Every structure is written in C-alpha cells, then in structure tokens.
Amino acid sequence: MQPRHLSTADQLAALRAGELDVGFLRERPVGPEFDALLVVRENLGVLLATEQAAELAGPDGVALDALVGLRWVGFPRSGSPVWFDELTAILRGHGLDLGPDAPEGQALIADVKLAGVRDGRAFTLAPSAWQQPLPDQVTWLPLVGHPLVRRTWAVWPADATRRDLGRFIAALDRSADR
C-alpha cells in the first residue's frame, strides 16, 4: 500500500476507479457505494497576523464576525465541494465577504497560508494542532463558540471487508505512537 496526498475529490475518483483502498476525506460520501467511519473531529481556529490577533482577541478567542473586512485565504471548491460549501456558508452567515475563489487546481500549502496572513489583511483557518511552526508574525487563536468543525472520514468501497480496514486503522495507530 502506497500512501498518496490527494484532494477529497481526487480520492473519491481513485476509490471509484479501484486505485485506492481507503481514503481520508473531508466529506462523507452519500449512498451505498462507500462505507465510512469518522476518524477525526477538529475545531478550527484562525491564523492572523500577530498584531491583528492582539486587537481582535477576546477572552475566549476571536468571533467569526470580527473577521469582517479581512480576506479569506482558502482552498478551491473543486478539492472538496461539500466541505467548501459548508465552510463558506458558515463564513458568509457571519457576514464575511470571501472575495474571489481560489484558483482551481491550487494546492493550499502551509507557506501560502502563512504568507497570506502576515500583512494583516487576511485570515486563514487551521486546527489547534497545526503542524508547521508559526513565524513570530502569525498567531493561532480559537474561534469563539467553535462554529467550524472539520471532520475527516475514512472511506472505502462498500464491497471491501471491514476486517482489512480494521487492520489498516490499527497499523496507522501503531505508526502514530512511534
């Protein structure tokens, strides 16, 4: 089994084509074609320029509506349409103007996110367990009330055996403990 980094949409296509045994998707597919297991639930917070974070932060973090006027450094809808639609509906519901869509095919990597927020005119979203070291000019803060929850689903074709998936998840757990 060879791990690959693919968008949710690309993983679904690979699962349908029989090129992938299991995928880790930001959305749960609907219908009988796939089985799914929720494996991670993460409350998202916000990455802001440090100076701006100090101005916007309250005792419980930053309220989404405090980000009005800032540009969202986001990912293209094509990578995970259902998650994108859910996320942007919540952001718009709090009065945020998301501006132009991210270019199709653009991968949103950590360096792009960090560069986008440093000047104080933008924000991006990230879990508290952000993997990259943050530069001094960027701060992570929780969102008040945890309005954004990112889910990761293990998804596999419905005709695959659950026993094989169980072994795969157990192997992941063992490798994470190292």
Side-chain angles (χ1 to χ4, degrees), residues 72 74-77 84 88 92 98-104 106:
W72 175 49
F75 58 94
R77 184 180 186 278
F84 180 91
T88 56
R92 286 186 180 108
L98 304 180
D101 291 341
E104 293 302 319
Q106 173 183 315

Side-chain angles (χ1 to χ4, degrees), residues 104-116:
E104 293 302 319
Q106 173 183 315
L108 186 58
I109 59 173
D111 291 338
V112 172
K113 284 185 167 191
L114 296 173

Side-chain angles (χ1 to χ4, degrees), residues 28 54 57 70 120:
R28 181 182 183 170
L70 299 177

Side-chain angles (χ1 to χ4, degrees), residues 27-126:
E27 56 199 58
R28 181 182 183 170
V30 178
E33 184 179 10
F34 298 108
D35 285 328
L37 174 69
L38 181 63
V39 292
V40 179
R41 249 181 85 102
E42 303 168 286
N43 292 325
L44 293 182
V46 64
L47 291 172
L48 292 164
T50 299
E51 194 173 297
Q52 187 170 43
E55 293 173 16
L56 297 178
D60 297 326
V62 175
L64 267 180
D65 58 2
L67 303 173
V68 169
L70 299 177
R71 182 177 40 88
W72 175 49
V73 179
F75 58 94
R77 184 180 186 278
S78 60
S80 184
V82 173
W83 169 232
F84 180 91
D85 291 347
E86 178 184 341
L87 179 62
T88 56
I90 293 168
L91 294 174
R92 286 186 180 108
H94 283 82
L96 279 72
D97 176 6
L98 304 180
D101 291 341
E104 293 302 319
Q106 173 183 315
L108 186 58
I109 59 173
D111 291 338
V112 172
K113 284 185 167 191
L114 296 173
V117 301
R118 279 188 188 138
D119 69 4
R121 293 182 288 175
F123 73 94
T124 193
L125 303 166

